[in-house]
């Protein structure tokens, strides 16, 4: 395995996005858009090789919240459950998918797990500053098992987040921040 670094995504690295392919055109396109650099929307981090000539993977984090839906007659009341950080995207280039890098707690550890753990640790560092109770995401079918094996759960029927356009077809999942190992 080559040496890798996970760094904040900047415009200087954007030309590397042309060679990134995770197998999903929508996710690939994200790195090429200015949205990936808009700190008012979130922050994007990229996993790059040692000489910063290739993007291996990336994730984007944005603010979110989870509400509990309470039904009062015919009306929905949204009761705040907790602040959250939403993993907007998390993806690896096809060349690095299903790449085992070791073992952790008697289970296989893949490069995708490593990227997710880095993302979770970055979010956990923010908890004392901004009040985070949950991590949320909307998984593709291809990423679903990654999140299950890392203790994410499907949203319960009475849970709600403000849907993002790209999330409408995904599996809505969450993890309590206190469950990060």
């Amino acid at each position: 395995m080559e040496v890798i670094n996970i760094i904040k995504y900047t415009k200087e690295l954007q030309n590397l996005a042309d060679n990134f392919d995770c197998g999903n055109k929508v996710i690939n396109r994200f790195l090429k858009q200015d949205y990936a650099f808009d700190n008012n929307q979130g922050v994007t981090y990229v996993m790059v090789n040692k000489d910063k000539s290739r993007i291996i993977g990336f994730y984007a984090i944005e603010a979110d919240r989870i509400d509990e839906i309470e039904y009062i007659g015919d009306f929905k009341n949204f009761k705040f459950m907790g602040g959250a950080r939403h993993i907007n995207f998390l993806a690896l280039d096809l060349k690095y998918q299903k790449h085992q890098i070791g073992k952790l707690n008697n289970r296989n550890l893949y490069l995708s797990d490593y990227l997710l753990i880095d993302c979770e640790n970055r979010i956990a560092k923010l908890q004392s500053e901004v009040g985070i109770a949950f991590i949320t995401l909307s998984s593709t079918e291809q990423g679903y098992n990654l999140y299950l094996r890392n203790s994410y759960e499907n949203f319960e029927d009475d849970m709600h987040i403000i849907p993002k356009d790209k999330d409408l077809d995904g599996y809505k999942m969450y993890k309590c921040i206190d469950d990060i190992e």
Side-chain angles (χ1 to χ4, degrees):
M1 178 67 197
E2 60 188 294
V3 176
I4 55 173
N5 297 300
I6 299 176
I7 57 176
K8 189 172 179 182
Y9 189 46
T10 63
K11 288 219 181 244
E12 293 76 32
L13 298 169
Q14 192 173 22
N15 63 318
L16 301 179
D18 291 336
N19 295 319
F20 180 82
D21 181 14
C22 69
N24 183 309
K25 292 178 184 180
V26 173
I27 296 173
N28 290 342
R29 195 175 10 213
F30 174 80
L31 287 175
K32 298 175 185 177
Q33 297 173 335
D34 288 339
Y35 181 81
F37 308 105
D38 186 351
N39 288 333
N40 292 319
Q41 300 292 321
V43 180
T44 304
Y45 293 90
V46 290
M47 178 185 282
V48 294
N49 61 351
K50 183 179 180 179
D51 63 1
K52 297 180 184 172
S53 63
R54 179 177 183 88
I55 294 175
I56 296 168
F58 78 97
Y59 59 82
I61 304 168
E62 63 185 34
D64 205 355
R65 65 182 272 162
I66 295 182
D67 295 322
E68 179 181 4
I69 302 172
E70 294 180 322
Y71 293 93
I72 303 170
D74 292 338
F75 297 98
K76 287 183 185 178
N77 183 44
F78 296 95
K79 181 180 172 187
F80 180 70
M81 288 179 62
R85 289 299 166 265
H86 186 77
I87 301 174
N88 193 12
F89 290 110
L90 187 142
L92 280 176
D93 190 279
L94 286 168
K95 179 180 174 186
Y96 297 92
Q97 292 177 10
K98 298 181 181 169
H99 186 84
Q100 185 177 342
I101 58 172
K103 291 207 175 268
L104 179 67
N105 299 329
N106 293 323
R107 70 174 175 92
N108 293 337
L109 181 69
Y110 296 90
L111 195 55
S112 56
D113 297 303
Y114 181 81
L115 187 61
L116 179 59
I117 290 166
D118 185 83
C119 179
E120 290 178 341
N121 288 336
R122 227 174 267 277
I123 292 169
K125 287 178 188 175
L126 294 171
Q127 182 184 22
S128 64
E129 296 179 31
V130 295
I132 301 168
F134 303 99
I135 299 173
T136 62
L137 58 90
S138 182
S139 178
T140 61
E141 189 164 331
Q142 296 81 4
Y144 188 69
N145 286 326
L146 164 67
Y147 300 113
L148 284 179
R149 76 173 173 262
N150 283 283
S151 303
Y152 283 78
E153 299 178 47
N154 291 304
F155 263 49
E156 297 170 18
D157 290 341
D158 66 345
M159 296 173 78
H160 175 78
I161 59 172
I162 298 171
K164 289 94 175 134
D165 289 342
K166 63 160 192 61
D167 292 342
L168 296 177
D169 294 330
Y171 298 94
K172 290 178 183 46
M173 303 182 81
Y174 75 100
K175 182 176 189 174
C176 294
I177 194 88
D178 293 338
D179 292 341
I180 293 177
E181 299 173 14

